[in-house]
Amino acid sequence: MKEETNKALMLRFLEFINTASPQLANEVISPEAVFYVPGRPEPMRGPGGYLEIINMMRSGFPDMQWKIEDWVAEDEKVAVRFTMHGTHKAPFFGVPPTEKSIHVQAMNFYRISDAQIIEEYGQPDLLGLLQQIGAFPTD
């Protein structure tokens, strides 16, 4: 039963990341949450930290949308494989806008406590994303 409750929370989380709603952020993310982000020496924290992550992605891909492709829930943990889709309409990691569409995979692991996300280890395919916008060669 706990697994189904956690999957329902993840569907609300998906709504949050697809809308960047501060109200949803406060609903689904604990104020004590910690998010480990590749390339950052210190973790992001709380709803504000996650909004910062979302806004960073949306700064280069304003139409960015996430889709859950697969997930596994057990006890207080949920593993999710996402696909991110968006159009490169503004500078991203120093790469000028290309108007190219991207399709990027991400694998994230969550820990849930008191019906909120308390921890995330995220691993988006940033190399694949940068290759798709021409920042790195594909060969």
Side-chain angles (χ1 to χ4, degrees):
M1 189 69 157
K2 186 176 198 171
E3 288 82 4
E4 291 307 314
T5 301
N6 290 346
K7 283 185 173 182
L9 171 65
M10 293 310 298
L11 290 175
R12 291 292 285 166
F13 176 74
L14 179 66
E15 184 180 348
F16 155 62
I17 60 178
N18 280 329
T19 63
S21 162
Q23 180 181 354
L24 281 173
N26 289 318
E27 176 186 325
V28 300
I29 298 172
S30 168
E32 290 82 36
V34 178
F35 304 101
Y36 300 94
V37 181
R40 290 193 180 247
E42 295 296 320
M44 308 297 286
R45 299 188 181 276
Y50 214 96
L51 278 165
E52 188 177 330
I53 296 167
I54 297 298
N55 290 331
M56 182 270 300
M57 292 300 295
R58 288 189 179 282
S59 71
F61 305 88
D63 61 346
M64 180 71 76
Q65 292 290 289
W66 285 258
K67 178 182 175 189
I68 293 174
E69 298 292 346
D70 199 8
W71 58 7
V72 176
E74 184 176 304
D75 297 324
E76 78 280 354
K77 294 188 179 178
V78 180
V80 181
R81 182 173 58 88
F82 290 101
T83 301
M84 303 179 292
H85 300 273
T87 309
H88 186 210
K89 294 188 172 280
F92 187 76
F93 283 106
V95 179
T98 63
E99 296 295 324
K100 291 182 178 180
S101 294
I102 59 145
H103 176 94
V104 177
Q105 298 285 317
M107 179 62 80
N108 296 5
F109 297 88
Y110 300 90
R111 189 168 55 87
I112 297 169
S113 177
D114 295 325
Q116 289 187 308
I117 295 170
I118 191 76
E119 183 177 53
E120 176 197 75
Y121 287 87
Q123 192 60 56
D125 181 9
L126 289 177
L127 177 59
L129 185 155
L130 292 171
Q131 286 176 324
Q132 290 177 49
I133 61 174
F136 289 106
T138 56
D139 296 335

